[in-house]
Amino acid sequence: MENRKTAMLRVHEQNIERYQGLLRTKLSDVEIHFIERRLSEERSAIEMLKFMSRGEKPVQDHLFA
């Protein structure tokens, strides 16, 4: 299970890098807001994985089912 968490953490970090790269391009306001929301979601997912890695039992989330 720990390998899965590590892989998921890596995917979320890669997504953040990709979204940050997109923010350095010319985007409409709608696109910027969408990407900022996705960045927030990715960062939240990373925090949840870190929380789960401490061995605590979080509320079930469909992303990690």
Side-chain angles (χ1 to χ4, degrees):
M1 188 63 171
E2 195 62 33
N3 288 340
R4 182 173 183 232
K5 288 179 189 174
T6 302
M8 291 177 70
L9 181 62
R10 194 172 321 122
V11 168
H12 291 301
E13 289 170 343
Q14 290 169 345
N15 288 344
I16 288 172
E17 288 176 20
R18 184 173 59 250
Y19 291 135
Q20 288 173 334
L22 286 171
L23 286 175
R24 290 189 290 272
T25 65
K26 185 175 180 174
L27 301 169
S28 70
D29 287 342
V30 172
E31 292 168 324
I32 290 169
H33 290 296
F34 174 81
I35 292 173
E36 288 174 342
R37 186 176 70 239
R38 291 296 300 137
L39 277 168
S40 177
E41 292 169 356
E42 294 292 343
R43 289 176 179 134
S44 293
I46 287 174
E47 290 306 312
M48 179 61 76
L49 283 170
K50 289 179 181 178
F51 177 81
M52 291 171 62
S53 294
R54 290 194 304 255
E56 299 175 19
K57 210 167 174 107
V59 175
Q60 183 67 25
D61 188 315
H62 71 281
L63 292 174
F64 308 111

